[in-house]
Amino acid sequence: MTGQWFIHAAYLAVAVVFIFGLKAMASPGTARKGIVWAGYAMIAAVIVTFFWPGMQNRWLIVLGILLGGVVAWRSGKKVAMTEMPQMVAIYNGMGGGAAAAIAAVEFARGEMHGPAMLVMAVLGALIGAVAFSGSCVAWAKLAGKMKRAYRFPNQRTLNIVLGIIVGWLGLGIIVDGSPWAIAIVLFFVVALVLGVVLTAPIGGADMPVVISLLNAFTGLAVGFEGYVLQIPALIVAGIVVGASGTLLTHLMAKAMNRPIRNVLFTPLTGEAQEDAQAIEGRMQETTALDAAATMRYAAKVIVVPGYGMAVAGAQHKVWEMSQLLEEAGVSVSFAIHPVAGRMPGHMNVLLAEAGVPYDKIFDLEEINNDFAQADVALVIGANDVVNPIARTDKASPIYGMPILNVDQARNVVVVKRGQGTGYSGVENALFYKDNCRMLYGSAQEAIADVIQHVKSMEG
Amino acid sequence: MEGIVYLYVFMLAAFTGYEVISRVPVILHTPLMSGSNFIHGVVLVGGMVTLGHAETGTQMLLGFVAVVLGAANAAGGYVVTERMLGMFKAGNRKGGA
């Protein structure tokens, strides 16, 4: 420890700042400070590490940091807000890969002593490798590079068999202590395949939960490798993320009414449709002029934005329209479903980008009773989260999911590209209701038309 | 004995993580996931120590991979989180606090 004490004191300070940073991120007012503190702490940790006793290859380390750091920094600066979830996925995968690579070096060195250390190294390697390949699949899906959900024949058996093989190889490494190189390579290959096989069959709608889970996984892997390297700061940071990520995953899964087990092992399909209730009535179309008039002369309008709006890039137009309506004396608020967008809170970020102040934005619980008093509910590019079937039809795959009670508003206007179903592939009973009107077209153009008509009604 | 002490660190860190996040409003879930993603980027430190003590070519290659990936995790996680949080601004009702 002599001569090392200042390094470890610095690591302790870094761990404390990380925790305070995370805590600051829990409130909108201090959130930005939180990430900035954590950023300085990270820089301090990196600088201090150069003074670790016996460090070699310093130039190689600098080169590696520059290479990874600059590429990621630039891609992170460029990426559009709608594509944020896949960026989080890919950065997360890199962290998992780093943890797995650290474990691989420790295996190759073969100097680990004691069963506890070997167990931690193997667990960290396994979880890190699964997080790495799983995150790559999640990224490919969200970036639209992998459109379908791939189901393997005998999916469940395949999962179990791969799990047993990787467990057996891992156990071999633990028992042997200095195993053959071929066994180590095989262990990593199977772990990587397992990550792919676990995530490939999962549908896009469940991706937020999966990313959050993989984020927690990476945290755990980092914590375990921290134990192997005997760096407590890594243990603290990794396990804090592992625990908070697990809680976050649970909150998300609860919001979607999809227990984590179901997300992983029984992906949503349209198949449950067969004995679902038939929907009566027909869809009624409306025009931008009618929609504009309905909202212009309403007292209370609630906007329900969905991912469709964000993809069309219509959030700026929607905010412009809201401001026009407010000037005309209409009260406008935004209702956000917990899983609107691709991750919980994603829609809030997208609206914030467009300039909507967050005191106009309400959660499901805050606003759901207000729909009954609203004159107009404007649904833009949202589908499953406003489907009343989730309340009534036990046979539906989305039964039980909390939804926004849009159907209780006096008038409902749905802006939608076409007549298709939502992400889950379930028909939406809302669209067939008497108080619902469909405004077809891209969100961007439809809202622009509405704005024109609202303007022409001034005075 | 030292091993047990580390297990206590594990346990306390787990409780801390749970507590810190349990009172987070939904609007911050995405930035928070991204922020915690940045924090496990500290794996970079582990990668540096590993590469700094690498002896063979294989160890150096793997250590280098760990440093590159760890640095990407940290840098990317920071930029993305900071951009997201920079967008939140208060309206009149709740103020900035």
Side-chain angles (χ1 to χ4, degrees):
Chain A
M1 283 301 274
T2 46
Q4 267 192 53
W5 69 268
F6 89 97
I7 295 178
H8 283 280
Y11 283 161
L12 176 66
V14 164
V16 170
V17 176
F18 277 164
I19 292 171
F20 274 105
L22 255 191
K23 188 146 180 57
M25 277 188 245
S27 159
T30 53
R32 194 158 171 275
K33 272 187 231 155
I35 182 69
V36 174
W37 293 341
Y40 283 125
M42 186 73 78
I43 292 171
V46 168
I47 292 172
V48 162
T49 306
F50 279 105
F51 297 98
W52 189 281
M55 284 288 268
Q56 284 146 14
N57 306 324
R58 283 204 174 87
W59 288 110
L60 208 53
I61 293 174
V62 173
L63 183 70
I65 292 174
L66 286 178
L67 190 65
V70 169
V71 169
W73 186 278
R74 295 186 54 146
S75 61
K77 280 277 182 212
K78 266 199 312 219
V79 67
M81 278 293 148
T82 41
E83 281 154 22
M84 229 32 125
Q86 50 262 45
M87 291 318 282
V88 175
I90 196 75
Y91 297 143
N92 174 53
M94 288 173 170
I102 291 170
V105 174
E106 290 300 323
F107 292 150
R109 202 195 301 272
E111 283 171 7
M112 284 180 285
H113 26 250
M117 200 173 264
L118 279 160
V119 169
M120 293 284 183
V122 166
L123 281 179
L126 171 61
I127 297 170
V130 167
F132 175 71
S133 60
S135 295
C136 290
V137 172
W139 170 80
K141 285 199 175 207
L142 288 170
K145 307 221 180 294
M146 190 172 157
K147 289 265 158 59
R148 289 187 310 119
Y150 292 86
R151 304 229 63 194
F152 299 93
N154 301 320
Q155 176 81 44
R156 188 163 295 202
T157 324
L158 187 63
N159 290 344
I160 293 170
V161 168
L162 284 173
I164 290 173
I165 295 176
V166 86
W168 179 72
L169 287 167
L171 202 63
I173 295 173
I174 293 168
V175 172
D176 197 330
S178 54
W180 295 339
I182 188 86
I184 297 171
V185 172
L186 209 59
F187 169 78
F188 278 105
V189 169
V190 179
L192 289 171
V193 171
L194 185 64
V196 174
V197 169
L198 280 175
T199 38
I202 297 171
D206 286 330
M207 269 306 144
V209 180
V210 174
I211 296 176
S212 175
L213 188 66
L214 293 172
N215 189 39
F217 274 14
T218 305
L220 288 180
V222 171
F224 290 151
E225 296 315 326
Y227 180 86
V228 175
L229 296 170
Q230 307 275 299
I231 309 176
L234 254 67
I235 304 179
V236 171
I239 300 300
V240 163
V241 171
S244 61
T246 307
L247 178 64
L248 199 56
T249 310
H250 175 72
L251 291 176
M252 279 186 214
K254 211 167 73 177
M256 299 168 78
N257 192 41
R258 297 268 293 142
I260 295 165
R261 267 181 52 112
N262 291 10
V263 170
L264 290 178
F265 299 119
T266 48
L268 269 186
T269 55
E271 287 160 25
Q273 286 273 43
E274 282 162 28
D275 40 311
Q277 290 166 5
I279 298 168
E280 289 172 6
R282 58 184 200 86
M283 293 194 204
Q284 300 168 82
E285 217 180 317
T286 187
T287 61
L289 176 63
D290 282 341
T294 321
M295 288 190 281
R296 168 68 176 75
Y297 298 105
K300 187 174 169 63
V301 173
I302 300 178
V303 181
V304 179
Y307 191 64
M309 177 199 76
V311 168
Q315 54 270 43
H316 295 272
K317 285 279 171 211
V318 170
W319 175 228
E320 190 187 335
M321 182 199 74
S322 311
Q323 283 170 306
L324 274 176
L325 290 172
E326 294 231 297
E327 279 163 28
V330 184
S331 127
V332 182
S333 39
F334 289 81
I336 311 254
H337 191 273
V339 294
R342 284 291 178 268
M343 297 195 288
H346 188 205
M347 188 55 64
N348 306 73
V349 174
L350 296 170
L351 289 177
E353 188 192 16
V356 182
Y358 59 73
D359 55 357
K360 291 209 167 296
I361 302 173
F362 298 91
D363 294 345
L364 181 122
E365 285 106 38
E366 287 177 316
I367 205 167
N368 231 357
N369 294 326
D370 293 0
F371 279 105
Q373 285 102 48
D375 300 295
V376 185
L378 176 67
V379 179
I380 310 170
N383 195 336
D384 292 330
V385 298
V386 293
N387 193 344
I389 265 191
R391 284 198 306 253
T392 54
D393 186 355
K394 286 207 168 78
S396 171
I398 62 169
Y399 175 74
M401 178 171 90
I403 58 153
L404 289 161
N405 297 327
V406 169
D407 54 325
Q408 292 170 359
R410 208 155 301 135
N411 298 286
V412 182
V413 177
V414 178
V415 180
K416 204 169 176 305
R417 244 193 334 232
Q419 297 191 334
T421 55
Y423 237 53
S424 67
V426 180
E427 272 291 345
N428 196 332
L430 174 73
F431 303 161
Y432 297 89
K433 293 241 171 189
D434 286 338
N435 60 346
C436 181
R437 296 289 179 275
M438 309 298 290
L439 180 56
Y440 291 117
S442 91
Q444 177 90 8
E445 285 161 27
I447 299 299
D449 284 351
V450 170
I451 288 174
Q452 286 311 314
H453 290 299
V454 171
K455 275 185 181 158
S456 68
M457 286 169 207
E458 297 297 324
Chain B
M1 188 54 208
E2 204 178 344
I4 291 292
V5 172
Y6 278 114
L7 289 182
Y8 275 98
V9 175
F10 271 102
M11 179 194 70
L12 293 173
F15 278 110
T16 308
Y18 197 86
E19 276 303 310
V20 161
I21 228 161
S22 58
R23 278 176 238 105
V24 176
V26 178
I27 64 160
L28 285 172
H29 276 181
T30 290
L32 194 72
M33 192 204 292
S34 181
S36 58
N37 179 35
F38 162 70
I39 284 178
H40 68 53
V42 75
V43 70
L44 169 60
V45 166
M48 291 169 72
V49 171
T50 305
L51 177 55
H53 295 88
E55 284 146 13
T56 65
T58 321
Q59 289 176 19
M60 271 170 73
L61 180 70
L62 285 167
F64 186 70
V65 168
V67 169
V68 172
L69 292 179
N73 182 179
Y78 181 81
V79 172
V80 164
T81 313
E82 205 269 340
R83 274 184 64 193
M84 271 195 256
L85 290 174
M87 282 169 195
F88 283 100
K89 55 177 182 192
N92 309 322
R93 198 188 53 171
K94 284 177 188 162

